[in-house]
Amino acid sequence: MKTEKKRTIKQEYLIIKRAIKLVNETTPHFTFHCAFFSFCCSLTRVGSNYITASIVDELTGDRRIKFLVIMLSCYLIEILLRIIRDYSWRRVRTFNIIASKWEDMLLNNKSFETDYKNTEDSTVRANRQMITDRAGQSGFNVLMEQLVCFFDGAWLLLLGAGICFGMFFKHSPHELFGAEKFIDSPLMTLVFFIVVAILSVVDYKKITKFSRRIVESQKKRALCQIPLHYYLNDYTDDSKAGKDIHIFNQKRLIRSSVDRFYGEWEKCSKEWFVNMRKNNNAHNIIYLISNSITYLYVALKVYIGAFGLGGFLKYQFCITRITESCTILSRSIAELRANNDYLELFFEYLDMPSEMHYGTIPTEKRSDNIYDIEFHNVSFRYPHSDVYAIKNLSFKFKVGEKVAVVGMNGSGKTTMIKLLCRLYDPTEGYITLNGIDITKYDYEDYLALFSVVFQDFRLFSFSLGENVSCSQEYDEDKVLSCLNIAGMKERVSALPDGLKSVIYKDFDENGIEISGGEAQKIAIARALYKDAPFVILDEPTASLDPLAEYEIYSRFNDMVKNKTAVYISHRLSSCRFCDKIAVFHEGEIIQFGSHEDLLKDTNGKYYELWNAQAQYYKDNATA
Ligand code: ADP
């Protein structure tokens, strides 16, 4: 997190400018509406006082009917101003209501578009978490509120100063001597304004000092909130965690962690509160002194006859507003700068560069599925890692061949699939499709060639039909056929709402709960529905028993007849039907051939793995 970095005024301004530009895209003329709304508010406040003061002056002075009528009709303008003001307020307020979801949508759009590597990168994930966790206290909402405050302060200062300026020229009509003469002099007015200005500067300094402390304690508080929220909400609320909490009595561990973070959070909250109080106290004292001096000065001017009761009301009100505006301005600037920490992080996330090369060549649309893919001396290291997950891999997928990929955990099987599907690009070497480097193809076109069921696939709380087709409109017969092939026939026919049944109960109390095995079958049906020339199963059947897995794999084999298929499995028995088996070890293919051929090499890894598993099945069978 780069919040400790000091930004220059220009950098602060540029962040705010960019944020405003972005907001303008969803709420046109956003800044104008903020400024106009604040202007109307300030004008109605200062204006009402001015009119009241002028009426009082007139009633206690010349009592001109025409002037009184003009002043009273000014109230009508004020009503009109309030109506126009409300239009701008509605625009600003509407943004205020949608801002947080709009921010989430921008972040989500970025995560859809960003290179896949960023979604796995721990630094990127931590930054995203930080943005999400601070979103309550910072963001575009705060930008809006503080912009309104800033304009409010600026308008009050301008309007107040404009009216008070007249005070320099208000003198007593009587001849005065001594102290009274000094009170009436422009010098006294100047001294008064200098004193008020000094008090405002002191107030600004205090506010800036405490605001910085408040922001620091807010940040510390937000950092404690991350683990606290995880333990109190995310983990405990996760129904899947319930079993572990009970069986492993995790409540002790959770409670002690919560106690620790709660203690720190409470400390930071108190620190935050104390700084707020000190800030308010300091401001209130300065405000009181400044107000008393103002009352005294204006009262003295009335006493010497420079202006009447109306003038007292008018000038006292305006000077108080000027002092208030200094506080509002300094506070809003401090808040805007603190909010820039969040916006900077937010923009850093949006600006994450894409390092993948996205080509433009469309892939050939072939009904014969002749798509030759070949790895040429491919090596790969994950970002921030010195270790090669794939080493110098050269390998060709023959069209229509069924290839099993086997090997120990961490031997690089899934990484090879990620490279094949261009979730990552090779660190060294290259991959070709029909002789052309895959980076030269249009990315979406290239991805359309693959149907993959990953180990950690996800289903959504959408209807069964939508989950399989990944679309709101789908071919029902095709969805049903894919579900049948995946082994869900009985289950689907027993569902009262059929394909319309919503999976899980997150949004629908009639949603269906499905077992791990059923989820895997639905994920396989989804891969079948895509009907891509390459089908890849990356151990999606891990929670099925060996027989069920074998059944699915061999049925799948029938379904993907003329397609190229890659099967990854721990269970070598499931892969016997494949044409070829690639044995991975420490990022390399150390053996490649048919099941029978590989078994002949009694010193080979495949023989070792096969016997280790065959032994296990035999032991289980005799037990
Ligand atoms: P397999 O599928 O054979 O179990 P993987 O391809 O998942 O193996 O992993 C190969 C190696 O790459 C392992 O050492 C693993 O720890 C590492 N690895 C996998 N994913 C990542 C990642 N996102 N970041 C860093 N290292 C990773």
Side-chain angles (χ1 to χ4, degrees):
M1 168 92 182
K2 299 183 181 171
T3 49
E4 306 311 325
K5 196 177 66 184
K6 279 227 170 211
R7 286 180 298 263
T8 60
I9 302 282
K10 189 175 173 200
Q11 284 169 329
E12 303 279 16
Y13 165 73
L14 288 177
I15 295 175
I16 294 172
K17 189 176 161 202
R18 179 168 174 194
I20 289 175
K21 197 165 166 235
L22 199 61
V23 178
N24 273 336
E25 286 171 17
T26 165
T27 306
H29 316 299
F30 171 77
T31 334
F32 168 79
H33 287 298
C34 288
F36 186 70
F37 169 73
S38 319
F39 174 72
C40 295
C41 287
S42 305
L43 192 63
T44 40
R45 272 177 88 188
V46 176
S48 323
N49 175 270
Y50 187 86
I51 297 166
T52 311
S54 301
I55 292 173
V56 170
D57 250 353
E58 199 60 29
L59 289 175
T60 52
D62 298 347
R63 300 167 78 179
R64 289 166 295 173
I65 298 296
K66 197 173 162 198
F67 183 82
L68 286 170
V69 171
I70 293 172
M71 281 295 129
L72 284 172
S73 56
C74 282
Y75 277 119
L76 293 178
I77 300 174
E78 195 191 316
I79 292 169
L80 193 70
L81 215 57
R82 279 177 199 273
I83 294 170
I84 312 172
R85 179 192 75 177
D86 285 349
Y87 170 72
S88 274
W89 178 234
R90 270 205 304 278
R91 300 294 301 266
V92 175
R93 186 84 187 107
T94 310
F95 173 75
N96 189 230
I97 292 165
I98 61 162
S100 67
K101 284 287 158 280
W102 171 76
E103 274 171 57
D104 286 348
M105 273 173 4
L106 289 177
L107 292 171
N108 266 17
N109 286 344
K110 178 67 190 179
S111 58
F112 290 153
E113 285 161 13
T114 190
D115 292 350
Y116 174 79
K117 79 174 175 64
N118 291 330
T119 60
E120 285 195 344
D121 190 305
S122 53
T123 319
V124 176
R125 287 161 70 95
N127 275 355
R128 172 79 196 251
Q129 183 66 37
M130 205 69 165
I131 296 171
T132 315
D133 287 323
R134 291 200 57 200
Q137 302 130 28
S138 314
F140 289 82
N141 258 336
V142 175
L143 173 77
M144 181 225 99
E145 282 158 17
Q146 293 311 321
L147 270 184
V148 171
C149 285
F150 177 82
F151 284 123
D152 211 17
W155 290 126
L156 276 183
L157 184 66
L158 280 177
L159 292 169
I163 292 174
C164 286
F165 187 66
M167 209 165 55
F168 280 97
F169 308 102
K170 295 275 180 191
H171 298 292
S172 172
H174 317 292
E175 198 179 348
L176 302 170
F177 303 96
E180 287 189 348
K181 189 168 185 211
F182 177 67
I183 291 167
D184 199 31
S185 68
L187 184 66
M188 168 74 178
T189 311
L190 195 68
V191 169
F192 164 74
F193 272 107
I194 289 172
V195 172
V196 171
I198 290 172
L199 283 172
S200 295
V201 170
V202 174
D203 196 17
Y204 172 77
K205 293 226 163 207
K206 290 269 171 223
I207 286 176
T208 316
K209 179 175 140 197
F210 284 115
S211 292
R212 209 169 291 138
R213 285 192 196 167
I214 290 167
V215 169
E216 284 310 316
S217 36
Q218 259 179 341
K219 276 187 209 161
K220 279 200 251 165
R221 197 167 167 263
L223 282 178
C224 300
Q225 224 149 286
I226 299 173
L228 207 53
H229 193 271
Y230 172 76
Y231 286 117
L232 289 179
N233 306 87
D234 295 345
Y235 188 74
T236 323
D237 272 3
D238 182 352
S239 59
K240 294 194 183 94
K243 292 197 281 298
D244 296 320
I245 293 174
H246 280 273
I247 303 294
F248 295 104
N249 201 7
Q250 290 177 335
K251 54 183 181 284
R252 273 180 313 180
L253 178 69
I254 294 173
R255 272 191 198 133
S256 60
S257 301
V258 165
D259 285 348
R260 183 158 66 87
F261 288 113
Y262 183 78
E264 283 174 37
W265 179 81
E266 200 182 19
K267 201 172 125 216
C268 299
S269 302
K270 279 186 185 154
E271 210 177 286
W272 179 43
F273 180 73
V274 167
N275 281 323
M276 293 258 282
R277 209 190 53 214
K278 281 187 182 167
N279 186 18
N280 286 341
N281 286 349
H283 167 69
N284 285 342
I285 291 170
I286 296 170
Y287 188 71
L288 198 75
I289 297 172
S290 169
N291 243 0
S292 309
I293 294 174
T294 306
Y295 266 98
L296 183 68
Y297 171 74
V298 182
L300 284 174
K301 288 286 252 185
V302 175
Y303 175 74
I304 59 162
F307 41 78
L309 201 54
F312 176 81
L313 287 177
K314 190 160 59 188
Y315 296 127
Q316 186 280 327
F317 179 84
C318 285
I319 295 170
T320 314
R321 294 294 78 78
I322 292 175
T323 325
E324 190 187 316
S325 70
C326 293
T327 313
I328 296 174
L329 278 175
S330 47
R331 193 167 280 182
S332 61
I333 291 170
E335 293 282 350
L336 281 169
R337 292 180 76 167
N339 191 48
N340 275 357
D341 286 351
Y342 169 89
L343 292 177
E344 195 179 33
L345 210 59
F346 185 87
F347 289 134
E348 262 175 30
Y349 187 82
L350 291 195
D351 292 342
M352 234 179 343
S354 169
E355 284 163 21
M356 301 243 319
H357 177 81
Y358 295 103
T360 49
I361 306 176
T363 54
E364 268 185 278
K365 309 288 174 286
R366 306 183 66 116
S367 53
D368 56 4
N369 278 347
I370 308 280
Y371 294 104
D372 270 318
I373 292 201
E374 190 169 356
F375 281 59
H376 304 262
N377 303 101
V378 170
S379 298
F380 176 73
R381 266 184 291 128
Y382 278 98
H384 317 300
S385 170
D386 300 329
V387 186
Y388 277 94
I390 293 286
K391 289 179 215 154
N392 204 25
L393 196 68
S394 290
F395 173 75
K396 184 170 180 170
F397 289 98
K398 288 215 183 101
V399 177
E401 205 169 47
K402 313 289 175 263
V403 181
V405 178
V406 300
M408 317 254 286
N409 271 342
S411 58
K413 304 181 296 292
T414 301
T415 307
M416 185 272 288
I417 300 298
K418 287 180 186 167
L419 292 172
L420 176 65
C421 299
R422 278 209 77 196
L423 294 180
Y424 287 93
D425 280 339
T427 316
E428 287 143 38
Y430 60 100
I431 305 168
T432 53
L433 166 69
N434 292 349
I436 296 174
D437 190 329
I438 57 171
T439 58
K440 302 219 162 76
Y441 286 107
D442 176 84
Y443 191 60
E444 289 201 2
D445 247 25
Y446 180 75
L447 288 190
L449 301 178
F450 299 94
S451 258
V452 192
V453 187
F454 284 107
Q455 269 172 42
D456 47 359
F457 64 86
R458 281 292 180 93
L459 297 179
F460 291 105
S461 294
F462 298 152
S463 75
L464 190 55
E466 286 168 338
N467 265 289
V468 173
S469 64
C470 296
S471 164
Q472 285 181 332
E473 279 98 41
Y474 50 86
D475 176 344
E476 288 197 14
D477 293 339
K478 189 172 164 191
V479 171
L480 280 171
S481 150
C482 295
L483 283 166
N484 289 351
I485 293 164
M488 283 287 284
K489 189 172 179 181
E490 282 84 36
R491 179 75 163 104
V492 177
S493 49
L495 293 173
D497 294 326
L499 294 181
K500 301 259 177 305
S501 315
V502 172
I503 298 179
Y504 308 127
K505 293 189 184 292
D506 302 52
F507 307 119
D508 186 345
E509 59 179 26
N510 298 321
I512 51 167
E513 285 299 348
I514 48 172
S515 69
E518 284 169 340
Q520 280 159 337
K521 289 175 182 172
I522 296 169
I524 289 171
R526 179 171 66 184
L528 293 176
Y529 188 91
K530 190 173 174 191
D531 201 16
F534 272 84
V535 183
I536 299 162
L537 297 190
D538 182 2
E539 286 191 84
T541 49
S543 67
L544 298 184
D545 61 61
L547 281 180
E549 177 178 310
Y550 182 74
E551 193 195 327
I552 285 189
Y553 269 44
S554 37
R555 212 170 334 154
F556 206 83
N557 209 26
D558 289 340
M559 174 66 192
V560 295
K561 276 185 203 91
N562 63 340
K563 298 178 188 215
T564 309
V566 184
Y567 302 97
I568 298 183
S569 178
H570 269 101
R571 295 176 186 134
L572 306 193
S573 56
S574 300
C575 304
R576 269 177 307 172
F577 61 84
C578 289
D579 305 319
K580 288 283 162 46
I581 296 170
V583 183
F584 267 70
H585 188 63
E586 294 178 355
E588 292 173 272
I589 296 184
I590 52 164
Q591 282 184 290
F592 187 69
S594 68
H595 171 71
E596 288 72 25
D597 287 345
L598 291 180
L599 270 188
K600 281 181 201 153
D601 181 1
T602 51
N603 293 322
K605 189 82 186 168
Y606 188 78
Y607 182 84
E608 181 197 322
L609 291 170
W610 176 264
N611 273 308
Q613 292 193 359
Q615 184 62 38
Y616 170 76
Y617 292 132
K618 258 187 266 161
D619 289 352
N620 268 346
T622 50

